[in-house]
Amino acid sequence: MRLSEYTDYTLRVLMYCAAHRDRLVTIAELADQHGLSKNHLMKVVNDLARRGLLETTRGRGGGLRLLAEPETIRIGDVVRATETDFRLVECFDPNTNACTLSPSCRLKHLFDEALSSYFRALDGATLADMAPSPHTMTTQPGRRPTSRELAVVVAAPAQRRATRTDNGT
């Protein structure tokens, strides 16, 4: 399973806004920071505002800001709201299931259990767990963050992080 770009952009917008709660953030700033299209970001921001997660202010001096506290926004809820299809295999949809193995197949149960575990993990993390501190968001406008910088941003929640030794394991 792969998350859509829309979900990726949604999470980036929320994380950036959570890291910059002290001020309004602009679409142009988000586009420059992440190297993304302003048009795509506008769609994401409008959807997040409709859902009550962002407050938007138009005009000169306008921008957007996070409305809800980051601790109350579960990553699993965001993914559920932005993704359209969680059918990992054909038999997950009884309306289109044409699999002849369905009555005796154990694979559906395994995939269902895996999907449940996936959402349990996502539901265990909030935007507060994922949001970087403002000093980690210092890449040059238009430059995409390196994989090492992204690892800081997308790290597991603090209470579940494994400790690393000096050799990186």
Side-chain angles (χ1 to χ4, degrees), residues 140-155:
Q140 298 295 322
R143 184 180 76 81
R144 295 185 67 92
T146 66
S147 58
R148 178 175 228 122
E149 291 166 335
L150 285 175
V152 171
V153 173
V154 188

Side-chain angles (χ1 to χ4, degrees), residues 5-131:
E5 284 183 352
Y6 190 85
T7 300
D8 179 28
Y9 295 174
T10 299
L11 291 168
R12 290 183 196 207
V13 167
L14 290 171
M15 290 166 50
Y16 194 86
C17 288
H20 299 280
R21 304 263 343 251
D22 58 327
R23 63 181 178 82
L24 290 174
V25 172
T26 66
I27 296 286
E29 177 184 349
L30 282 164
D32 286 345
Q33 179 66 37
H34 295 294
L36 301 174
S37 156
K38 289 179 188 177
N39 289 333
H40 288 318
L41 287 172
M42 287 293 291
K43 293 174 189 174
V44 168
V45 166
N46 286 332
D47 188 37
L48 289 169
R50 257 192 321 278
R51 294 178 190 279
L53 293 173
L54 290 181
E55 172 188 27
T56 60
T57 307
R58 291 179 170 238
R60 186 174 175 95
L64 50 120
R65 82 175 59 209
L66 199 60
L67 268 180
E69 292 298 319
E71 297 81 17
T72 66
I73 301 171
R74 293 186 322 172
I75 300 301
D77 293 336
V78 174
V79 170
R80 282 184 194 89
T82 55
E83 287 296 315
T84 57
D85 187 4
F86 294 105
R87 295 173 298 169
L88 297 180
V89 288
E90 173 188 346
C91 56
F92 273 30
D93 186 351
N95 297 325
T96 60
N97 183 13
C99 180
T100 58
L101 298 174
S102 287
S104 61
C105 183
R106 295 182 210 162
L107 194 56
K108 178 182 177 181
H109 175 71
L110 177 64
F111 283 130
D112 190 42
E113 190 176 311
L115 187 60
S116 294
S117 295
Y118 172 75
F119 278 113
R120 236 184 337 274
L122 293 179
D123 288 340
T126 67
L127 185 57
D129 296 323
M130 298 297 110

